Amino acid sequence: MKLEELAQQTGEWMRGNGPESDIVMSSRVRLARNLADFPFIRKCTPQDRAAIAAAVRRAIDALPLGSETEFVDVSKLGDLDRQFLMERQLISHELSEAEGARAVILDPHERFSIMVNEEDHLRLQVMQSGLDLETAWKRMNELDDLLESKLTYAFTKKLGYLTACPTNVGTGLRISVMLHLPALVATKQIEKVFRAFSKINVAVRGLFGEGSQFMGDLYQVSNQMTLGKSEDQILQRVSEVIPRLIEYERKAREFLVEESRDDLHDHVSRALGILCTAKKISSEETMHYLSKVRMGVNMGLIDSVAIPTVNKLFMHTQPAHLQKLCGQKLSVSARNTERANYLHQHLSENGGADPKRN
Amino acid sequence: MKCQHCDKTATFHITELTHPDGPAILHLCEEHARTFFNQEGPAHPASALTNLLSKQLKLEKVTEELANVDKKQCPMCGITFAEFRKGGRLGCPYDYIAFEDDLEPLLINIHGATTHSGKAPHNLSGTPQRQFRLKQLKEEMKDAIQKEQYEVAGKLRDRIASIEQGELLENDDPESPLADDDFQSEPLEPPSDPQST
Ligand SMILES: [Zn+2]
Ligand SMILES: [Zn+2]
């Protein structure tokens, strides 16, 4: 599997077809694991790092997993490839920028990835489209069982799985759900809603651009504590919160429609118009307008574009993807032109933005 | 405005809504903003953790005591508590044993708990205590070889091999800190209720 092939496809978790996928982009589960025979990463020698990568590779090759996955030596990848894998959320920034032996094991369908020599020796992650934490955890548990049959993890009965940072010790489990909450942002309720959630130990983060919501109104909700609660309890905790957020977002959307359906329709249609007709556009601006289009499609105000297309564009218009897709390195300015072309092409293919033009 | 982590212009202004001290605003360039978003969970970035550590230690300990805690060193990997405090990352699994008393208040602060509940691997031999015992035995063996005590060295070698092959360590050596391995006999349970948050 070449990374170029990966660039062409849409990962399983980006298909936008899971439960509640009009609001929930993806569900993610990750486990932190360390091999008992080695120090944690900060005290690893270059030889230790290489030995860890080799041990993990041997373990995976001894499983059916070995023939189904791709072992990618991240230390041999160039800047563009590493950024590409980061944009795809298959590797972290920490793994991308680290020195020495490190790797990622990729499932060709992007349902899971395993980072080797990140903050912990192993970071397993399972991704699922829409809201489906139970399936994600079930698959993660199976993956963990498989690896554990070949590797000896650092573990004590008292503290559970031992991790480089005490914030992950215990289950090593982090569950996160990415939500698209444009109406809560538009109605300025988002902070209030999340502040209420902080009291129940669920962490939320969002990205804002200058003066407006340039990062696509995307928010990530995850558990904060990993020790003292079982995996099922942690799953339960996050699962209880999400439906309430979804309900708040739906109410906010209803409110926007009631307030003025015409204004809202105008707003999302203009966003689509800009994406279709711009000649140069930055990735932040693209996300900003794609977010509005996504809401417009999900609310039945825009019918010329499908959600999988919008999700694909969220990913394909990011800098490294754009360069991978056109097969060459581009300057920022050239990227902005290429991005505008790409958007124009793909939004028109899907019936076009402007019905009068067809 | 410049990015908090580099000299580029900050184009992203991120609000951490559930920051422990109320909403916190971060100013980041595009690259660092992506980094930030790619980490899972805001839980506790290294800097937040080190802040928490220094605050907590200052509250609980007088300067002299603090200096003593900082000097504590893990016999396995050599990391000092001060080094951990600065970087927010431990050096090896045995640190959880070596710094047990000093980590406990931190664990309560982060997790509201001090004991694991949940999944365990089928293979329970990956304890730091076992790794520590192996290290001790290997050093003893090296010593014996240097002193040309080959019979002793041979016995040690066999002992190491059987431990590496998964022999249980119970009743192995009362000197080795094995009590921790069995949390039933663990006397350090704090009186606080781990459910309280
Ligand atoms: Zn920066
Ligand atoms: Zn250590």
Side-chain angles (χ1 to χ4, degrees), chain A residues 39-332:
Chain A
F40 292 142
I41 291 294
R42 72 177 282 178
K43 286 285 181 188
C44 274
T45 62
Q47 290 77 14
D48 286 335
R49 292 181 71 112
I52 291 165
V56 173
R57 184 163 203 172
R58 264 200 312 280
I60 287 178
D61 282 345
L63 294 163
L65 214 59
S67 56
E68 294 157 11
T69 55
E70 191 78 9
F71 187 97
V72 179
D73 183 342
V74 175
S75 66
K76 292 209 174 84
L77 294 180
D79 292 350
L80 189 60
D81 284 338
R82 296 202 315 274
Q83 199 191 337
F84 168 77
L85 290 174
M86 251 168 68
E87 285 176 4
R88 249 178 138 79
Q89 301 189 19
L90 294 170
I91 67 170
S92 64
H93 185 263
E94 184 150 349
L95 190 80
S96 170
E97 299 309 304
E99 303 266 313
R102 58 201 196 280
V104 61
I105 291 119
L106 298 176
D107 164 42
H109 305 290
E110 295 176 67
R111 289 165 305 194
F112 65 87
S113 76
I114 302 167
M115 288 187 273
V116 185
N117 291 341
E118 210 247 18
E119 180 184 306
D120 294 294
H121 299 158
L122 288 173
R123 283 288 178 95
L124 286 61
Q125 88 168 327
V126 165
M127 303 75 99
Q128 200 75 29
S129 179
L131 181 63
D132 196 358
L133 290 172
E134 291 208 357
T135 307
W137 166 245
K138 189 171 161 282
R139 293 209 347 248
M140 174 57 92
N141 199 18
E142 288 164 5
L143 182 64
D144 186 45
D145 285 347
L146 280 176
L147 288 178
E148 156 209 302
S149 70
K150 302 285 173 196
L151 297 164
T152 305
Y153 289 151
F155 180 91
T156 67
K157 284 180 190 161
K158 183 179 193 297
L159 289 176
Y161 295 90
L162 305 177
T163 53
C165 183
T167 53
N168 296 315
V169 77
T171 56
L173 175 68
R174 190 82 62 207
I175 289 175
S176 43
V177 178
M178 200 194 284
L179 298 131
H180 183 227
L181 304 172
L184 280 177
V185 174
T187 55
K188 306 204 183 337
Q189 297 181 82
I190 194 90
E191 272 204 37
K192 198 179 72 193
V193 168
F194 282 137
R195 211 157 319 149
F197 283 107
S198 70
K199 294 190 187 78
I200 51 171
N201 294 303
V202 184
V204 182
R205 71 166 25 158
L207 283 183
F208 291 76
E210 204 132 35
S212 59
Q213 292 72 44
F214 263 83
M215 270 305 267
D217 306 319
L218 295 174
Y219 291 82
Q220 191 169 282
V221 175
S222 53
N223 62 303
Q224 278 180 301
M225 297 177 295
T226 56
L227 182 67
K229 301 245 183 309
S230 71
E231 291 83 359
D232 285 337
Q233 287 173 314
I234 294 171
L235 196 82
Q236 193 64 34
R237 173 65 64 91
V238 179
S239 300
E240 278 165 13
V241 172
I242 306 299
R244 282 157 64 196
L245 278 171
I246 293 172
E247 197 191 314
Y248 285 138
E249 170 66 18
R250 288 203 208 289
K251 286 221 173 97
R253 288 183 187 188
E254 278 166 32
F255 172 81
L256 289 175
V257 172
E258 275 165 31
E259 201 182 37
S260 171
R261 189 187 160 87
D262 288 346
D263 285 356
L264 188 65
H265 199 174
D266 177 63
H267 195 61
V268 297
S269 304
R270 278 167 186 271
L272 181 58
I274 288 169
L275 292 174
C276 288
T277 56
K279 296 296 169 212
K280 288 186 91 165
I281 190 163
S282 71
S283 58
E284 296 93 324
E285 204 181 350
T286 303
M287 284 193 80
H288 175 69
Y289 290 120
L290 276 176
S291 167
K292 295 186 188 311
V293 170
R294 195 177 189 279
M295 175 169 71
V297 175
N298 280 325
M299 292 176 74
L301 298 167
I302 294 174
D303 54 15
S304 60
V305 187
I307 283 298
T309 307
V310 179
N311 286 359
K312 187 177 86 173
L313 289 174
F314 262 112
M315 179 114 315
H316 283 187
T317 56
Q318 294 189 57
H321 270 77
L322 211 58
Q323 295 173 75
K324 274 266 155 208
L325 287 167
C326 78
Q328 56 178 311
K329 283 212 167 195
L330 298 170
S331 68
V332 174

Side-chain angles (χ1 to χ4, degrees), chain A residues 39-40 43, chain B residues 73-80 90-96 98-99:
Chain A
F40 292 142
K43 286 285 181 188
Chain B
Q73 195 172 17
C74 167
M76 275 296 273
C77 72
I79 196 174
T80 61
L90 295 163
C92 81
Y94 197 79
D95 298 0
Y96 283 103
F99 304 140

